[in-house]
């Protein structure tokens, strides 16, 4: 049975401010919102040279795109004043753990102060109906006991990325209680799991690393093949964000934080996902364990998404093997030189009919 899906009648004509539209999840969200009839303004840094999704899938021609930096409060205030959004989806972030270890100041500035700047700019914005700030499954204080985290668990983070996302949760909570609750504007956070899907070319992420290894005919190096993560397809995750945003606007008594992830009873280690993605790409698994001395990356992470399932009717419709197959199909189409704008919209259309 199909789970909840975003409704065109809700989004059609809505003015949406989407941060992070030049990134992986943000790009998929931009195309889906455009397909639903929303009037989308994207605000983000220009896409990095190794991130072609924004241009190859036609995000840049599907929505109004504004390049800017969330660390620049004046620029954020300008785009809010120009857009006068009904709904804000905040997806922009420095999203890589190892990059956060290399440059923690950039990570804290982008993820913490970027969130604060956006919420400050939105204070007093007329016509605002709701704000959803996307954080991460890594916001929880993880003592690696293997239990799935629920929304009320303690926040924390031992690496700069996780800590910055936990801190952005606190920023959002304080702005909600101090300002937006009084104005009748629901502000909530969405905590998504590890996302896979076509179009991600980031460094130090499992699926993009596999794709690069296959295309260059070299052995993949895995830092932690035994580590488990809440893997889910990007469309499952973005679907959760959109139906959650709808529910916040239509029913402001919704909880102010929800997890979105796969069934925690079936965790998949990195090695198993790598083997399956290699197979989906038509290749024999070819990887080697290359441990990183002194690594503080988490070995186990799962989240409990029962509240999202119960309250929203959300389901991870591509759970398991379908998520790997859809991901592999996207990269195969890209390698074959297909029209990736049409192919990506086709995947969104097919997902909407599941």
């Amino acid at each position: 049975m199909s789970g909840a899906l975003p409704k065109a009648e809700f989004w059609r004509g809505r003015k949406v401010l989407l941060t992070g539209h030049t990134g992986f999840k943000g790009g998929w969200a931009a195309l889906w919102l455009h397909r639903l009839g929303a009037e989308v303004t994207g605000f983000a840094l220009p896409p990095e040279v190794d991130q072609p999704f924004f241009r190859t899938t036609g995000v840049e021609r599907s929505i109004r795109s504004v390049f800017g930096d969330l660390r620049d409060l004046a620029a954020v205030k300008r785009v809010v004043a120009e857009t006068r959004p009904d709904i804000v989806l905040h997806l922009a972030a420095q999203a890589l753990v190892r990059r956060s270890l290399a440059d923690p100041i950039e990570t804290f500035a982008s993820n913490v102060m970027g969130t604060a700047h956006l919420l400050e700019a939105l204070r007093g914005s007329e016509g605002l109906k709701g704000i959803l700030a996307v954080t991460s499954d890594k916001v929880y204080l993880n003592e690696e006991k293997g239990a799935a985290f629920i929304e009320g668990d303690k926040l924390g983070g031992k690496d700069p990325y996780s800590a910055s996302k936990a801190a952005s949760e606190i920023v959002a909570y304080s702005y909600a209680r101090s300002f937006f609750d009084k104005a009748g504007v629901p502000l909530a956070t969405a905590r998504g799991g590890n996302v896979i899907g076509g179009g991600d070319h980031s460094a130090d992420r499992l699926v993009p690393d596999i794709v690069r290894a296959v295309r260059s005919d070299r052995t993949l190096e895995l830092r932690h093949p035994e580590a488990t993560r809440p893997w889910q397809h990007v469309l499952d995750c973005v679907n959760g964000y959109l139906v959650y945003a709808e529910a916040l606007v239509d029913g402001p008594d919704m909880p102010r934080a929800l997890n979105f992830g796969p069934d925690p009873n079936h965790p998949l280690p990195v090695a198993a996902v790598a083997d399956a993605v290699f197979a989906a790409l038509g290749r024999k698994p070819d990887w080697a364990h290359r441990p990183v001395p002194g690594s503080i990356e988490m070995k186990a992470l799962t989240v409990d998404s029962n509240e999202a399932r119960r309250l929203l009717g959300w389901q991870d419709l591509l759970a398991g093997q379908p998520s790997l197959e859809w991901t592999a199909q996207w990269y195969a189409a890209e390698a074959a030189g297909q029209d990736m704008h049409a192919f990506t919209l086709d995947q969104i259309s097919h997902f909407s009919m599941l």
Side-chain angles (χ1 to χ4, degrees):
M1 182 178 67
S2 176
L5 291 164
K7 300 183 289 292
E9 57 268 29
F10 175 90
W11 292 99
R12 190 177 297 114
R14 294 268 190 183
K15 292 183 292 183
V16 178
L17 177 59
L18 170 68
T19 71
H21 69 292
T22 58
F24 170 47
K25 282 196 291 186
W28 280 91
L31 291 173
W32 200 341
L33 287 165
H34 173 69
R35 181 178 178 273
L36 290 166
E39 298 178 9
V40 184
T41 296
F43 182 81
L45 294 170
E48 298 186 3
V49 293
D50 60 348
Q51 296 296 321
F53 185 91
F54 175 70
R55 293 194 169 91
T56 59
T57 62
V59 174
E60 64 178 341
R61 64 178 185 271
S62 299
I63 68 170
R64 175 177 176 251
S65 177
V66 178
F67 293 153
D69 194 331
L70 282 170
R71 292 168 291 186
D72 181 349
L73 178 58
V76 180
K77 286 184 174 180
R78 281 195 300 272
V79 77
V80 168
E82 293 167 359
T83 305
R84 298 182 65 186
D86 300 316
I87 298 173
V88 177
L89 301 175
H90 176 37
L91 274 66
Q94 193 301 97
L96 301 174
V97 172
R98 295 188 77 192
R99 181 167 168 177
S100 80
L101 293 167
D103 194 346
I105 297 302
E106 175 209 22
T107 301
F108 283 110
S110 297
N111 296 354
V112 184
M113 290 309 300
T115 299
H117 286 166
L118 176 64
L119 296 178
E120 178 65 19
L122 290 168
R123 282 209 292 144
S125 181
E126 294 183 5
L128 189 60
K129 301 294 191 298
I131 308 166
L132 183 64
V134 170
T135 59
S136 170
D137 55 348
K138 297 177 180 63
V139 298
Y140 296 106
L141 182 63
N142 192 345
E143 297 177 344
E144 311 237 30
K145 295 181 179 179
F149 293 104
I150 61 173
E151 289 84 353
D153 286 338
K154 291 182 180 180
L155 304 180
K158 62 184 178 181
D159 61 81
Y161 170 72
S162 302
S164 73
K165 282 299 193 176
S168 70
E169 287 269 352
I170 296 171
V171 168
Y173 181 87
S174 69
Y175 264 82
R177 298 304 176 269
S178 297
F179 309 113
F180 291 105
D181 284 354
K182 297 173 184 177
V185 177
L187 163 58
T189 58
R191 303 164 182 174
N194 278 50
V195 172
I196 63 174
D200 188 5
H201 293 276
S202 299
D204 299 321
R205 278 190 178 153
L206 180 58
V207 172
D209 283 349
I210 294 171
V211 171
R212 282 187 287 268
V214 167
R215 291 179 178 178
S216 61
D217 197 26
R218 60 177 174 79
T219 298
L220 172 71
E221 296 184 356
L222 296 180
R223 301 187 301 277
H224 302 290
E226 77 289 355
T228 59
R229 295 288 185 268
W231 308 100
Q232 64 180 323
H233 194 273
V234 62
L235 286 173
D236 277 324
C237 193
V238 172
N239 181 46
Y241 299 160
L242 297 183
V243 297
Y244 189 16
E246 289 181 17
L248 286 170
V249 173
D250 287 342
D253 292 334
M254 290 293 295
R256 293 302 192 259
L258 284 177
N259 293 333
F260 294 94
D263 185 348
N265 295 314
H266 302 286
L268 282 177
V270 167
V273 174
D275 290 347
V277 173
F278 271 112
L281 289 169
R283 297 294 187 94
K284 293 178 62 176
D286 180 15
W287 58 266
H289 183 198
R290 295 286 188 270
V292 177
S295 172
I296 62 170
E297 291 185 77
M298 291 177 287
K299 304 299 189 299
L301 176 60
T302 56
V303 294
D304 185 323
S305 303
N306 282 332
E307 282 295 276
R309 300 176 197 280
R310 180 177 68 86
L311 296 172
L312 302 177
W314 175 82
Q315 297 180 36
D316 44 342
L317 300 174
L318 293 176
Q321 187 64 26
S323 68
L324 305 174
E325 293 172 353
W326 280 47
T327 299
Q329 289 166 8
W330 196 99
Y331 286 109
E334 181 187 47
Q338 291 193 34
D339 179 341
M340 296 314 296
H341 176 70
F343 190 91
T344 304
L345 288 178
D346 189 55
Q347 284 203 328
I348 293 172
S349 296
H350 278 83
F351 182 89
S352 300
M353 294 185 290
L354 292 176

